[in-house]
Amino acid sequence: MQADSLGRFDYVIVGAGSAGCVLANRLSADPSVRVCLVEAGETDWYPWIHVPIGYFYTINNPRTDWCFTAEPDANLAGRGLKYPRGRVLGGSSSINAMVYIRGQAADFDGWAAMGNQGWSWADVLPYFKKSEDHHRGGNDAHGAGGELRVEGLRANWEVLDAFCDAAVQCGIPRVDDFNTGDNEGVGYFEVTQKNGVRMSTARAFLKPARQRSNLTVFTRTQVARVTFDGQRANGLVVRRADREMRIEASREVILSGGAVGSPQVLMHSGLGDAAALQRLGITPRHHLPGVGANLQDHIATRTMLRVKDTVTLNQQASSLWGRMVMGLDYALRRRGPLTIPPALVNAFLRSDPQQPTPDLQFVCYPITYDKLGDPPHAFPGFTAGVCLLHPESRGSVKLRSADPFAAPAIHLNFLDTDNDCRTVVKGLRLLRQVCNAPAMQRFAPDEFLPGQQIQGDEALLEGIRKMAGTIFHPVGTCKMGSDDQAVVDDRLRVHGVQGLRVVDASIMPKIISGNTNATAIMIGEKAADMVREDARA
C-alpha cells in the first residue's frame, strides 16, 4: 500500500447523505466485501441536529451546511438565494424539514415511460416500504420494522386546524395519508422522527452499521476527483488533513453527493461537456453534456397573515416564559413546538381540473418572520405558502474553475417559462381563497405579505419575483435515461465509463410531486440491490 493511500475497498461511496448512508448499510451487510464511506463534513454529534426545530441552527451554519448561494437571478429580482446542502453525516437529512412524502405514483410511472426500466410505482413501492417503520404499522402502502421511523406530528395549533377546514370548504378533500400513490388533499405532514428526535439517515442506517469491521467511514475528507484505469473508475483523490491522498476501489465508485456535489465531482473527473471542461483546463475523459444540466427545484412563495384571538408560535417564541415552557415540554415529554418541522399542514391540489394530477402544494405553519434565522414577529400570525410541483424551468450546476474545492455556480432559472409564471400566480390566488374561507374568519386574517392590496396578475408576479424562494429540493443534474442529456442508465451506471455510478436525487429525470428526501432514500435502497445483482452477474 502506498504511503498516501487510505486503503483499498470493494466499494467506495462518496457522500454520507440520504442515499449514501443507506448504501453503506446495505452493502456492508455482506461481510465478504469492504465498504468505504467518504464524507466532507463532520460527525453528527452537534445537538441541534437531533432536536427537530434545530434546523434554525444547522442551516447556514458551516458546521453542518455547505452554505452555497445560487447565482443572482433576473427572474427573482436579481436575488441570489441561499442554498443549504448538508455537510455532515446524514447530509441534508440532518438539516432538512424531516417531511416524509413520496410523491405521486404517476411521477414514477412517468420515469418508466421515459424508458427507465424498473422505476415505475409498482417497482419502487417495495423499496419505500423496506426502509420504513411506520407508526401505524405495516399495510399495503407502508412498511413496519424498517430503519426509518415515520411518525405523526407532536404539536398542534387551532389556526392550523382551521386552515385544514378552510381548504375543505374550498373543495380540497381531507386526507390522512399522503403516501399511497395519490396524494391529493389536505392534512398534516408525517415526519422522519422517533419519539420527537430527528431520524436522519445517519441515525437510521449508518449508526447501526458502524460496528461492522468491513465498513470504514472517513469524515472531514473532501473528494477532488475520481481516478481511472483506462475507462474504469478505480478510486478517488481526496483532501484529508490538508494532504492529498488516495482511496482505491476494486469494484465500484458510487457518487452520492447530491444534485450539487455529484455533478461537481464528475466534471472535475473529466466527465461533462467536453468544450466547457477544456476551457477550464480539465482534460475531458468522456463527453457527457448533461452533467450539471437539467437542475429542477420547487419554487415556493409565501403569504404571511396577522390573526386575532389565538396563540401562535410568534407569542410562544417571543417571551422568556414561552420559551421555558416549550423547553420543558420537550425535555419531559418530547412534545411541543421544539418537535415541529418548518411546515405542519400540507395540501396537494390542481391548479385547474384539467391537470391529470396535483401541480400545486400548499403548506402552513403557525409563525411569521422576515427570513429564516430572524426572530418571529411580536403579534400572532401564520404563514401559508404555495409551491410549484411541476416546474418547466431548468437550471444548472457549473464549475467556476479547475479548483475541485471551489463552490460551483448554481443557476436556478426559476420562473423561466410563461406557464410557470401563470401557475404560481394562480396558486397564490387559490391560497388566498383558503386563507379567507369561512373557517378562518374567527381569526380575522389580515395578509401583510405580499399584502391584500396587490391584486393584478402582473403585480402579483412582480411581488412573487421579489419574495419567492426554494424549499431546497434540487434534482436532475445527473439524470437517468438514454437520451443525449442523460448521465446514467436505468441501473444508475454512468454512461461511457465502467465501475462508476451515481446514487442520489440527481438521477431523477423529472422532479417528483412533493418533498424529495423519501425518494432519495428509496433510490439508495434500490441501487444497493442493483449493485449486488451486477456483482453476481
Side-chain angles (χ1 to χ4, degrees):
M1 185 182 298
Q2 298 178 359
D4 63 348
S5 175
L6 288 169
R8 184 175 183 84
F9 305 87
D10 295 287
Y11 300 107
V12 178
I13 303 163
V14 178
S18 298
C21 287
V22 176
L23 282 167
N25 180 299
R26 300 306 189 215
L27 295 180
S28 66
D30 179 354
S32 70
V33 301
R34 296 190 64 206
V35 179
C36 177
L37 179 62
V38 183
E39 169 57 42
E42 297 188 32
T43 60
D44 61 341
W45 65 265
Y46 187 52
W48 281 118
I49 291 173
H50 307 289
V51 178
I53 208 167
Y55 50 79
F56 279 108
Y57 306 99
T58 56
I59 288 177
N60 298 326
N61 180 348
R63 167 64 182 76
T64 49
D65 181 4
W66 283 98
C67 298
F68 294 131
T69 299
E71 298 300 294
D73 194 331
N75 294 333
L76 298 179
R79 295 178 298 134
L81 303 180
K82 291 186 181 298
Y83 213 60
R85 295 284 86 203
R87 189 176 189 266
V88 64
L89 289 182
S92 293
S93 77
S94 288
I95 67 171
N96 71 356
M98 300 159 287
V99 166
Y100 187 81
I101 292 287
R102 296 172 179 172
Q104 291 276 1
D107 297 332
F108 303 97
D109 290 342
W111 293 5
M114 296 175 191
N116 298 301
Q117 185 176 354
W119 290 92
S120 71
W121 175 251
D123 292 317
V124 302
L125 179 58
Y127 290 104
F128 280 116
K129 293 174 64 176
K130 180 179 180 180
S131 294
E132 191 180 22
D133 183 22
H134 196 269
H135 65 107
R136 294 175 184 160
N139 55 36
D140 289 345
H142 291 287
E147 289 82 357
L148 187 71
R149 181 68 174 173
V150 177
E151 295 186 342
L153 298 175
R154 302 169 73 88
N156 63 285
W157 286 263
E158 62 177 358
V159 71
L160 300 185
D161 293 338
F163 184 92
C164 290
D165 293 339
V168 173
Q169 290 173 341
C170 292
I172 302 171
R174 194 178 295 272
V175 66
D176 64 356
D177 189 346
F178 290 112
N179 292 302
T180 63
D182 177 4
N183 62 18
E184 188 166 9
V186 63
Y188 283 92
F189 280 122
E190 291 179 319
V191 288
T192 49
Q193 294 180 14
K194 185 173 184 178
N195 297 326
V197 179
R198 175 188 291 273
M199 181 60 79
S200 70
T201 56
R203 181 183 176 207
F205 294 93
L206 186 58
K207 185 177 179 180
R210 289 292 295 271
Q211 61 187 345
R212 297 172 184 164
S213 61
N214 63 329
L215 174 61
T216 299
V217 179
F218 292 122
T219 56
R220 291 179 289 179
T221 304
Q222 191 168 352
V223 174
R225 62 186 182 276
V226 179
T227 59
F228 290 84
D229 180 6
Q231 289 297 96
R232 182 170 190 83
N234 68 352
L236 304 170
V237 172
V238 302
R239 181 174 66 183
R240 179 175 170 84
D242 293 323
R243 292 179 56 198
E244 184 176 284
M245 308 187 79
R246 286 205 57 194
I247 301 174
E248 300 170 73
S250 59
R251 293 190 184 182
E252 290 193 25
V253 174
I254 304 171
L255 302 185
S256 295
V260 175
S262 287
Q264 182 181 12
V265 172
L266 286 177
M267 288 185 280
H268 282 297
S269 307
L271 301 166
D273 182 87
L277 296 178
Q278 286 177 324
R279 285 194 294 270
L280 293 175
I282 298 172
T283 302
R285 178 170 297 276
H286 184 70
H287 179 58
L288 278 176
V291 174
N294 194 47
L295 174 63
Q296 300 158 63
D297 200 347
H298 287 139
I299 185 173
T301 193
R302 58 182 174 152
T303 64
M304 290 194 286
L305 298 96
R306 186 191 301 255
V307 291
K308 297 179 180 179
D309 301 324
T310 191
V311 174
T312 70
L313 192 50
N314 281 7
Q315 300 108 296
Q316 293 169 284
S318 293
S319 74
L320 177 60
W321 174 249
R323 293 193 295 271
M324 288 175 61
V325 170
M326 290 190 296
L328 283 171
D329 200 13
Y330 186 75
L332 298 176
R333 302 195 304 149
R334 291 290 186 266
R335 301 190 68 85
L338 269 64
T339 68
I340 67 170
L344 290 82
V345 170
N346 177 58
F348 292 109
L349 66 153
R350 307 173 199 228
S351 62
D352 67 69
Q354 304 306 312
Q355 292 293 326
T357 61
D359 59 337
L360 294 172
Q361 181 180 17
F362 290 169
V363 296
C364 186
Y365 40 109
I367 190 171
T368 60
Y369 47 78
D370 292 330
K371 64 179 185 296
L372 189 64
D374 284 359
H377 296 131
F379 49 81
F382 73 94
T383 300
V386 57
C387 164
L388 191 61
L389 290 176
H390 303 151
E392 294 178 349
S393 303
R394 296 292 184 269
S396 64
V397 174
K398 297 181 179 180
L399 300 184
R400 300 178 188 274
S401 71
D403 178 2
F405 306 117
I410 302 167
H411 300 268
L412 295 175
N413 296 341
F414 281 157
L415 299 175
D416 207 34
T417 73
D418 290 341
N419 190 56
D420 282 0
C421 294
R422 283 192 299 268
T423 305
V424 75
V425 168
K426 190 166 187 179
L428 186 55
R429 290 195 181 283
L430 293 170
L431 181 62
R432 280 178 161 179
Q433 290 179 19
V434 173
C435 292
N436 289 286
M440 298 296 295
Q441 291 310 302
R442 67 188 178 100
F443 303 112
D446 178 21
E447 180 189 305
F448 64 92
L449 183 84
Q452 198 65 45
Q453 74 279 5
I454 300 175
Q455 288 293 333
D457 285 358
E458 288 301 319
L460 278 175
L461 182 59
E462 186 63 24
I464 289 168
R465 292 190 191 281
K466 291 178 180 178
M467 66 182 180
T470 166
I471 41 179
F472 317 124
H473 297 161
V475 308
T477 50
C478 299
K479 74 172 235 181
M480 172 172 56
S482 56
D483 60 274
D484 60 2
Q485 290 294 301
V487 177
V488 300
D489 65 14
D490 56 20
R491 297 189 71 79
L492 310 188
R493 299 171 297 201
V494 176
H495 290 302
V497 294
Q498 292 81 48
L500 181 62
R501 290 186 211 241
V502 179
V503 179
D504 55 36
S506 71
I507 65 93
M508 297 187 200
K510 190 174 181 181
I511 197 165
I512 64 163
S513 304
N515 308 64
T516 52
N517 188 245
T519 297
I521 293 169
M522 177 277 292
I523 289 168
E525 286 279 23
K526 184 170 174 59
D529 273 2
M530 290 176 170
V531 169
R532 289 191 293 256
E533 290 164 3
D534 290 350
R536 293 192 295 266

